[in-house]
Amino acid sequence: VLFMGFVTEKSSDSYFRVAVGQAYEPHRCMINTPSVSQEDWNKGVSMTRQGWRHFLEFTAFSSPRPGTKRIVVGEANGPHRCMFNHRNKSQEEWDNGASMNDWGWKELCSFWAFSSPQPGTIRIVVGEAFHPHRAMINHDNYSQSQWNDASLNMSVAGWDHLLEFWAYPPQIGGYDTPNKSSTSEPSECIQIPMIPGRSVTITVNK
């Protein structure tokens, strides 16, 4: 079976691409700088800009989906940096619309990501450090396959583990094979969140 698809702007506007850059002195990360629109981030723009070096990207949702939680990102300056879901509020508060406009942060964006692993997703792990307060995602001392192992957390290299979530790789969301005992679902389905304007070809051998 050969499947070819092309995503339009309208069909993928529920997806939220996150591009992550890192910088040093001190080590920290930033996502989706506000100088670029989310529309352009969704098209694949790199975070190698304004002193940042692109090192990771993933695809989340712009609105709630079953099994997801809300991730709220704030930014601050001196130096430019970001924070995810400040620990002073519970996940329930974040899910109910809490703002990151507090504790010296200015809200940058928010998105929804899975609370637990789903077929085709990767694990995103956030650590925090202080002086100044800042965040890092999936420290590059480890590979993505190592981060996908839930036994590894972000309490590494001077960081304290803050939170984790699961999201899709940037272009293809992977596959989902429902329980074959179910009579209400097709025997197989493929879920393909994609960046607008990009095409994909999938070959399935059976």
Side-chain angles (χ1 to χ4, degrees):
V1 176
L2 177 65
F3 171 86
M4 296 185 67
F6 189 84
V7 162
T8 66
E9 198 75 37
K10 182 177 180 182
S11 65
S12 63
D13 59 7
S14 63
Y15 295 105
F16 190 102
R17 176 177 172 266
V18 176
V20 186
Q22 64 178 336
Y24 293 87
E25 297 182 2
H27 195 199
R28 62 201 189 277
C29 76
M30 173 55 60
I31 73 163
N32 296 25
T33 55
S35 59
V36 176
S37 70
Q38 186 58 46
E39 178 182 5
D40 285 337
W41 287 120
N42 285 349
K43 292 177 180 177
V45 170
S46 169
M47 257 299 293
T48 298
R49 60 184 59 247
Q50 300 170 301
W52 299 99
R53 179 175 63 83
H54 185 102
F55 85 107
L56 175 69
E57 57 187 287
F58 58 86
T59 303
F61 300 103
S62 59
S63 58
R65 297 289 184 91
T68 62
K69 61 183 178 182
R70 182 168 172 256
I71 307 298
V72 190
V73 185
E75 65 174 336
N77 291 297
H80 196 202
R81 60 200 191 276
C82 71
M83 180 53 56
F84 300 76
N85 287 21
H86 197 289
R87 63 169 62 250
N88 284 356
K89 290 183 180 178
S90 67
Q91 185 60 53
E92 181 179 7
E93 290 176 293
W94 293 120
D95 289 346
N96 289 332
S99 169
M100 267 291 291
N101 291 322
D102 210 343
W103 314 290
W105 299 97
K106 177 183 178 181
E107 187 164 320
L108 173 63
C109 63
S110 64
F111 55 86
W112 295 77
F114 291 112
S115 301
S116 59
Q118 305 296 317
T121 57
I122 58 175
R123 181 171 172 252
I124 306 298
V125 191
V126 181
E128 64 178 342
F130 296 87
H131 311 297
H133 196 197
R134 60 198 190 277
M136 176 52 59
I137 289 178
N138 290 22
H139 196 288
D140 59 8
N141 280 359
Y142 299 91
S143 67
Q144 183 59 56
S145 62
Q146 289 174 299
W147 284 118
N148 288 343
D149 182 347
S151 66
L152 179 63
N153 66 41
M154 260 296 292
S155 293
V156 298
W159 297 93
D160 295 326
H161 184 87
L162 177 62
L163 61 91
E164 62 185 76
F165 54 87
W166 294 78
Y168 290 117
Q171 295 183 42
I172 300 177
Y175 61 90
D176 180 17
T177 303
N179 188 327
K180 294 185 182 300
S181 65
S182 170
T183 58
S184 61
E185 297 287 345
S187 60
E188 292 181 340
C189 84
I190 296 176
Q191 185 176 26
I192 311 175
M194 290 177 60
I195 304 303
R198 293 187 181 180
S199 62
V200 62
T201 301
I202 297 175
T203 303
V204 180
N205 294 318
K206 302 184 68 175

